[in-house]
Amino acid sequence: MLLRMSFICLSCLGVFSQSQDRASLSRSNDPTGRCVYTFTVVNPQESSCPGGSSKSETDEIRTRLTLLEGLVSRLIAGGGSGASSGGLRHSDESVQEAYAQVTKERNQLQLDQEHLNTQVQRLQRTLAELSLEAEDLRQRPCEQMNTSAGALHENRHLRGYHFKNTSYQEMKAEVREVPASHLIPAGNHSFAGCGELVSVGDPVLHRKADGITGKYGVWFQDPDPEGPYYTRQTVWRIDAVGKEVRQLFVYEDMDQFSKGFPMKVLVLSEPVESTGATVYQNSLYYQRRRSRTLLRYNLTSESLEARLDLPHAGFHGQYPYSWGGYTDIDLAVDEHGLWAIYSTSKAKGAIIVSQLDPQSLEVRRSWETKIRKNSVGNAFMICGRLYTVASYTSPNTTISYMFDTLTNESQAIAVPFKNKYRYNSMVDYNHAQRKLYAWDNFHMVTYDVRLGGTGQSRS
Ligand SMILES: *[C@@H]1O[C@H](CO)[C@@H](O)[C@H](O)[C@H]1NC(C)=O
Ligand SMILES: *[C@@H]1O[C@H](CO)[C@@H](O)[C@H](O)[C@H]1NC(C)=O
Ligand SMILES: *[C@@H]1O[C@H](CO)[C@@H](O)[C@H](O)[C@H]1NC(C)=O
Ligand SMILES: *[C@@H]1O[C@H](CO)[C@@H](O)[C@H](O)[C@H]1NC(C)=O
Ligand SMILES: *[C@@H]1O[C@H](CO)[C@@H](O)[C@H](O)[C@H]1NC(C)=O
Ligand SMILES: *[C@@H]1O[C@H](CO)[C@@H](O)[C@H](O)[C@H]1NC(C)=O
């Protein structure tokens, strides 16, 4: 019986080692456009799934081995103490025969177990390699849904390789090396005016989206409302998943927002692209879907009041942040007004910052930085300075780069920043609340920020 079992086991080992290479990892968009990873391993022992694995096989052998060892020691003890055992008395030959047989089986089983352990280790190595690969794939932006911009997307990847050894990459490397202690000004931390970013607090959760359309989006409060209806307490939210994003949810205040009770839903006549929108002085500013057209929607009159193309701006997958998601044009508001963060083909993917006229949307002035837009996770403006977040997925990342529009100077910095939910699709600054607002994998969070007073004083 025991011999037969070990024979069966050996034969299944053969099958097992033949098919263990059939593990595979694949990646594809599901019908809603989300990127889905699938890890598949063929079960070598069974054509259907009643249960059982290599692990339980090992356990089984281990159990049998233990039983056998128990039997052997009992037999040895029985043979040694002879008469004292009383009941069962065997001749020396029969004991020795049984002992030899059991020893043989035990050796065979030990061999089997070693084989199985090797198999398990090999599988674990394969799994570890696949996990690494999965992590690597996750770092890269997911392929967009099939659109005519596919070609642009391809180009972007090619350009990405082309730029591997230009100054952008050097800038990134430089960023990594600068120790944080050199960069944090030891100034007055309760400084209330404009200053350089000193630190960012932990994310505070306000709301978790409950539907699939809430995977990414934008939310904000107006830092400078002028209208009669809406205040600094009003919260605005756009779920950005989907092709025709038009709904703007309005909440009376943070409390109602946290409970998920909108007071109103405005339907925009033109669809929104991605997560770059913002609210300022009672207008919603956003990029029209699949265009470089900027729109100003008056929240009081509930109508579009200004429309202008952002000159030469890349759009719909040409120069997004590293996440992708058509984050080509990011609008931002700070103490100095309204800004657009984007790139152009002339700038070859480097971030351009333009200050916009809030009324007409005309570009007042532009600055070209040396940081490649698709190498950063996100960006925002504080006091006329552009800050970039190194990663949108790493739970422990840094704000690694600053560009000052007053001096045209850039600086590598290392302010710790947490992507707690590992998929941060939007980061915007609100100077009235002195907080960053972010949308991190269904979670709408804010971060307190501390500015230092040791920088140049700004008007
Ligand atoms: C992508 O879209 C283009 C044009 O709409 C079409 O020709 C092509 O077959 C599509 N590709 C896939 C994989 O669906
Ligand atoms: C990258 O750098 C290498 C040597 O540093 C150079 O030979 C190569 O032409 C560069 N590639 C591009 C695309 O600039
Ligand atoms: C820091 O600045 C604030 C506001 O300017 C001031 O009230 C406070 O006294 C300063 N504290 C220190 C320690 O300098
Ligand atoms: C928005 O519309 C209201 C009502 O028509 C108007 O009073 C206000 O001036 C408009 N705001 C802007 C910034 O144009
Ligand atoms: C993040 O960094 C902090 C300090 O640098 C460290 O204590 C913490 O363990 C890190 N967390 C993760 C998830 O790596
Ligand atoms: C910064 O650059 C802008 C345009 O790129 C230019 O108009 C301005 O004079 C520069 N300022 C300084 C201080 O160099």
Side-chain angles (χ1 to χ4, degrees), residues 153-286:
H153 208 255
E154 285 293 299
N155 274 337
R156 188 166 66 74
H157 281 295
L158 288 175
R159 264 194 298 275
Y161 288 118
H162 179 75
F163 279 148
K164 276 261 152 68
N165 49 7
T166 68
S167 55
Y168 302 121
Q169 231 39 45
E170 284 154 28
M171 176 61 75
K172 244 184 133 186
E174 188 189 324
V175 163
R176 297 267 148 72
E177 287 160 16
V178 177
S181 53
H182 289 187
L183 301 158
I184 295 176
N188 181 346
H189 285 167
S190 57
F191 180 76
C194 252
E196 288 183 14
L197 180 64
V198 172
S199 67
V200 177
D202 286 342
V204 176
L205 179 64
H206 297 278
R207 174 80 190 156
K208 181 169 186 242
D210 27 40
I212 184 71
T213 57
K215 166 94 173 163
Y216 48 88
V218 269
W219 75 290
F220 22 68
Q221 292 182 293
D222 193 337
D224 190 16
E226 288 175 340
Y229 307 131
Y230 303 120
T231 68
R232 279 185 185 178
Q233 270 63 55
T234 311
V235 180
W236 306 87
R237 163 180 168 177
I238 299 172
D239 290 5
V241 177
K243 276 189 180 170
E244 290 284 312
V245 177
R246 294 172 185 274
Q247 289 183 328
L248 175 63
F249 293 90
V250 193
Y251 301 85
E252 194 174 346
D253 54 26
M254 200 65 103
D255 184 50
Q256 293 296 299
F257 174 70
S258 295
K259 289 175 180 154
F261 300 146
M263 63 189 232
K264 205 170 184 178
V265 183
L266 300 177
V267 179
L268 304 166
S269 56
E270 307 210 17
V272 179
E273 181 90 302
S274 199
T275 60
T278 194
V279 164
Y280 181 52
Q281 294 178 342
N282 233 49
S283 286
L284 171 77
Y285 294 88
Y286 70 99

Side-chain angles (χ1 to χ4, degrees), residues 106-117:
R106 190 190 63 169
N107 291 344
Q108 186 61 59
L109 280 173
Q110 269 172 346
L111 222 63
D112 291 359
Q113 192 185 15
E114 274 163 28
H115 276 295
L116 274 178
N117 282 343

Side-chain angles (χ1 to χ4, degrees), residues 303-315:
S303 60
L304 287 171
E305 288 190 343
R307 152 196 309 268
L308 206 67
D309 279 5
L310 184 57
H312 313 296
F315 62 93

